[in-house]
Amino acid sequence: AFNKKYFAKYRMERRRTAFEKNLEEINSHNREFEEGKSQFRMGLNKFADLDNELYKKQMVRMRDTNHRKMDVEINDEIVGAAAKDAPDSLDWRTKGFVTSPVNQKTCGSCYAFSISYAITGQIMQRIGRLEYVSQQQLVDCSVETGNQGCAGGSLRYTLKYLEKCGGIMRQVDYPYTSSAGKCIFNRDLAIANISEWAIMPKNEDGLAFAVWKVGPIAVSLNAAPKSFQLYKTGIYDDEASCDNSKVNHAMLLVGYTPTYWILKNWWGSWGEDGYMKLARGKNLCGISNYASYVTIA
């Protein structure tokens, strides 16, 4: 179903071994799901022939900037005491933010996708329709503020770049190639500029308030566990495996309920057609460690 081709026998053997082991773990976990011991199912996907080390090497490459220094004065309203005013549930997909599955492929560009889609959410609120902005601009050009193209990057460095460059182009004008290239940003073709951004304090209630008040939010989390790699459906709640002290992948927070977060990923139809439900209330996988909001001028 995933049309994989292997060009060396040793690679085929490694992949077959990984697939068989993964299938065993999927079946074992899903028995626990059936017994009510877990809230999510695992399943075969395009990563099912990767052992966990190879998966992490290929897909989990976001750079940690190693500190939480606040570069920007945070708007108190975004994360303040008013967090209790946020509605119990919210889903931006019901408000017009309906996006197809998207695939970063083998380029470590999750940081570019999460920020670009957060900006697309801001534009949608302004003009009433989806206008996708360029991930490739962020991959090619944010190296000047510390990112490393397809070798990874961080939300902070990406936002610093946007603050410095003065605009972002449309996706159709600077399309995604899944490889790093020369920066060809043309300010005359920019359709939006950021007006405010911040790395938010570690606070899940503040996160909910920001999603309500601002829109879809870029978040960082720990995507390293095998159960994350092979997540299929349901509310991901693997506290035992998903350490919340480290983050290594960026996704987009598009909504929540009282019990889970709704996240968009960049791995094609992985999970629930490109989305994931993540248990809320315990900073699972470090979801509130490095969340960032962005608004446009």
Side-chain angles (χ1 to χ4, degrees), residues 3 27 38 41 52 65 68-69 73 77 86 89 122 127 139 143 151 167 170 189-190 199-200 204 211 238 244 257 294:
N3 296 316
N27 290 335
S38 172
R41 281 184 178 277
N52 190 243
T65 48
R68 284 192 49 86
K69 181 175 76 68
E73 191 72 30
E77 186 194 19
S89 297
Q122 292 298 301
I127 67 174
V139 171
V143 290
R170 296 189 305 163
L189 294 178
I199 304 296
M200 295 171 55
E204 282 193 80
V211 175
D238 191 356
N244 67 9
T257 73
V294 58

Side-chain angles (χ1 to χ4, degrees), residues 68 70 74 79 199-207 244-247 283 286-291:
R68 284 192 49 86
M70 298 301 172
I74 291 183
V79 292
I199 304 296
M200 295 171 55
K202 287 172 68 171
N203 181 315
E204 282 193 80
D205 288 336
L207 206 51
N244 67 9
S245 69
K246 56 189 174 188
V247 294
N283 193 28
I287 187 170
S288 68
N289 288 10
Y290 284 90

